[in-house]
Amino acid sequence: MLKWLLTFVLACALFSAAIPLLKRLGIGSMPGDFRLRIRKAEVLVPIGSVLFFGFWFWLIGRLV
């Protein structure tokens, strides 16, 4: 259980860092991605992207 939680947190952090690059490539925010503004900082929480890409990576891993 802890392994999955750690994987999810790391995936959220990676997708949060990659969102500006993804937007330049034409892949915008997906439904389920949250953008929180706390004072002057903007925090991205890409839950929808993590689930979407995680499913595809899991499916590819099962097929290979």
Side-chain angles (χ1 to χ4, degrees):
M1 178 78 167
L2 183 62
K3 178 180 165 183
W4 286 105
L5 181 62
L6 182 62
T7 303
F8 183 75
V9 169
L10 287 174
C12 277
L14 288 174
F15 280 121
S16 291
I19 283 180
L21 174 66
L22 293 174
K23 283 187 177 183
R24 277 187 261 151
L25 295 174
I27 304 171
S29 295
M30 298 184 75
D33 291 350
F34 299 103
R35 183 174 303 205
L36 305 173
R37 291 189 180 158
I38 302 172
R39 296 187 187 185
K40 294 183 181 180
E42 187 173 332
V43 179
L44 302 171
V45 184
I47 295 174
S49 296
V50 168
L51 294 175
F52 177 76
F53 288 116
F55 169 74
W56 286 107
F57 290 141
W58 172 80
L59 186 63
I60 291 169
R62 295 287 283 174
L63 295 174
V64 172

